[in-house]
Amino acid sequence: MKISKTVHNIEQSLTLALTAKAKQMKKQGLDVVGFGAGEPDFDTPEHIKEIAIEDIKNGVTKYTPTGGTPELKEAICKKFKRDNGLDYQPNQILVSPGAKFSLYAAIMALCDHGDDVIIPSPFWLTYPEQVKAAGGNPVYIQTGVESEFKIKPEQLEKAITPRTSIFILNSPSNPTGAVYTKTELEALADILLKTNIAIISDEIYECLLYDDVKFVSFPTLRPELKERTIIVNGVSKTYSMTGWRIGYAAGPADVIGAMNRLQDHSTSNPTSFTQRASAHAILGDQTCVEKMRQAFDERRKYMVQRLNSIPGVKCAAPKGAFYVFPDVSSFYGKKLAGKQVNGSVELANVLLEEFKVAVVPGKPFGDDRCERLSYAMSMQDIVKGLDRIEAALKSMA
Ligand SMILES: *Cc1c(COP(=O)(O)O)cnc(C)c1O
């Protein structure tokens, strides 16, 4: 059948495709080490699970208000006050089936056909596809390992056109782990405040920060920014709850209302029996978060040190999230296991097929010089996988 032009233009998720191939190889009994994970490897904490089990037993299995229960919205408002010093009312909050949908609703609510949407590159590969789905044009600002994957204010200024309607910020970043400092964000804010561009700030990795870096929520920088910014966040990454599908957005009531209307007629409410549990995750004991963060930190340090010890690999030390994004472009043009490697996709394929180690190519994230490696996996597997990568890269000629 004829597929609509809009959906035809949406790319297949290359990360999901490669993860599927690695899984299939594992199923065949092959000993594959996967660095592809896009979610924490920890189980959801017990005290959160208990609430959901109780709710299922008690019949909390029906529709809720589209934008989330009043209790969960209250809990989210308290979280913004407690963690970010931001005042939001429940009518400025939308709860969605995952932060991914909050993001989609925000883009749909703010982007008209033909609008430019500025996306720093490398980027989470969902952003440009959602922009395209809304009829907008993704406009990229290129960064690299040299600039620690962060854009400069001059670059932002240059990228702005009369058609620019949204700037998407993701700090800490997936795939690079880069975190902007307060000063760096202020410089970007001052440029944006000279325009009427809306900001979508994807703060999903807020709690996964390292080396004493402090999180800065974008709208806290300048008072006027709160009227222009949609924050997107959720419980997936912070509490290891990716399968629960609870994400949320905060912003001006009129934009949140528009996003809610879209959600009314697309997904309806997020899952009923995960909402009270999510409120409990947000307001309850936070020691589980610190435990996960410490485990990630230990793995991060090991990964960065091991990767940089391989001649030809350049790996910036990420300050957040759970990914490293090493530049391996010095190996392009060489041969691996007899096969010529010219880019991140080919290298990832040969590593998987010949060395049984799965990494995610940087190309779909906007940087073909790099590969993305997640460290949401056991230390034992990290060691084993890096041994294989090291042996592979050292054999290239
Ligand atoms: C995982 C992720 C999300 C979405 O998470 P949900 O599971 O949909 O809540 C959003 N942004 C980034 C950058 C992510 O990595």
Side-chain angles (χ1 to χ4, degrees):
M1 291 231 282
K2 185 178 152 290
I3 305 297
S4 71
K5 280 197 196 84
T6 307
V7 176
H8 181 80
N9 282 334
I10 294 175
E11 304 271 351
Q12 188 201 358
S13 171
L14 225 134
T15 51
L16 294 182
L18 223 111
T19 316
K21 189 170 170 188
K23 270 196 185 142
Q24 197 198 339
M25 288 172 70
K26 265 189 198 165
K27 234 183 172 174
Q28 292 167 353
L30 295 168
D31 166 38
V32 176
V33 180
F35 285 101
E39 58 187 349
D41 55 317
F42 307 101
D43 198 4
T44 303
E46 209 55 42
H47 70 280
I48 301 170
K49 282 186 183 177
E50 274 163 16
I51 306 280
I53 292 165
E54 226 175 77
D55 274 1
I56 292 178
K57 286 190 175 152
N58 290 336
V60 186
T61 54
K62 302 292 170 65
Y63 292 138
T64 73
T66 294
T69 61
E71 295 76 22
L72 179 51
K73 286 190 184 179
E74 275 303 337
I76 292 165
C77 290
K78 283 190 183 143
K79 179 251 171 254
F80 277 117
K81 186 76 188 160
R82 176 192 72 195
D83 299 348
N84 314 110
L86 285 166
D87 285 299
Y88 285 109
Q89 299 304 313
N91 68 344
Q92 297 178 291
I93 304 291
L94 175 78
V95 185
S96 304
K100 196 181 256 186
F101 196 84
S102 292
L103 196 67
Y104 183 62
I107 291 171
M108 288 296 283
L110 296 167
C111 175
D112 265 316
H113 275 253
D115 282 359
D116 287 342
V117 176
I118 300 179
I119 305 175
S121 172
F123 45 81
W124 188 43
L125 38 73
T126 288
Y127 302 138
E129 304 315 317
Q130 291 193 344
V131 168
K132 286 193 250 165
N137 315 310
V139 173
Y140 304 108
I141 302 178
Q142 198 59 49
T143 69
V145 69
E146 324 74 51
S147 56
E148 293 182 308
F149 298 110
K150 293 190 260 191
I151 62 164
K152 300 264 181 290
E154 310 84 74
Q155 288 180 294
L156 176 60
E157 197 148 34
K158 250 198 191 153
I160 294 170
T161 71
R163 289 184 312 275
T164 307
S165 60
I166 309 175
F167 170 66
I168 300 182
L169 175 72
N170 176 217
S171 171
S173 151
N174 173 6
T176 67
V179 182
Y180 286 82
T181 65
K182 187 166 181 237
T183 316
E184 288 165 344
L185 289 175
E186 280 170 341
L188 300 182
D190 288 339
I191 288 171
L192 291 163
L193 283 173
K194 287 188 275 180
T195 70
N196 48 24
I197 298 170
I199 299 108
I200 297 178
S201 182
D202 181 346
E203 307 188 347
I204 196 102
Y205 291 103
E206 166 180 20
C207 294
L208 293 175
L209 290 173
Y210 314 107
D211 297 341
D212 294 320
V213 168
K214 293 267 170 296
F215 181 74
V216 183
S217 178
F218 197 68
T220 61
L221 295 166
R222 299 277 184 265
E224 312 90 295
L225 280 174
K226 203 162 155 251
E227 295 311 308
R228 301 260 298 272
T229 307
I230 309 296
I231 297 180
V232 174
N233 205 329
V235 296
S236 284
K237 309 290 160 64
T238 305
Y239 305 101
S240 203
M241 292 173 70
T242 44
W244 296 58
R245 307 316 298 135
I246 296 290
Y248 53 86
D254 57 341
V255 182
I256 292 293
M259 291 163 64
N260 196 112
R261 289 204 299 282
L262 179 71
Q263 200 166 294
D264 266 337
H265 300 293
S266 47
T267 66
S268 288
N269 63 279
T271 309
S272 56
F273 49 81
T274 61
Q275 294 190 48
R276 193 166 68 97
S278 296
H280 193 65
I282 290 168
L283 296 182
D285 189 355
Q286 302 295 302
T287 50
C288 56
V289 182
E290 178 55 18
K291 266 194 208 142
M292 290 192 258
R293 194 197 67 81
Q294 281 174 8
F296 280 136
D297 193 19
E298 192 191 327
R299 302 169 189 174
R300 175 187 72 105
K301 286 180 181 148
Y302 180 78
M303 297 267 293
V304 172
Q305 175 256 316
R306 273 293 299 270
L307 285 164
N308 278 322
S309 77
I310 305 170
V313 177
K314 277 187 285 178
C315 183
K319 301 285 185 193
F322 43 72
Y323 312 96
V324 290
F325 202 60
D327 184 324
V328 290
S329 58
S330 73
F331 296 94
Y332 298 169
K334 295 185 181 178
K335 277 187 172 164
L336 180 58
K339 285 178 194 146
Q340 171 99 14
V341 167
N342 292 318
S344 63
V345 180
E346 282 170 343
L347 181 58
N349 271 318
V350 185
L351 284 173
L352 181 57
E353 280 160 16
E354 304 293 334
F355 294 85
K356 311 281 177 288
V357 55
V359 302
V360 182
K363 192 175 182 196
F365 297 100
D367 199 338
D368 197 31
R369 296 170 292 185
C370 301
E371 304 281 355
R372 190 190 77 172
L373 281 72
S374 156
Y375 45 92
M377 57 203 277
S378 74
M379 199 62 184
Q380 202 185 348
D381 277 350
I382 289 176
V383 174
K384 190 156 102 179
L386 287 175
D387 286 346
R388 292 180 188 179
I389 291 174
E390 181 169 13
L393 294 180
K394 281 188 171 164
S395 77
M396 289 183 81

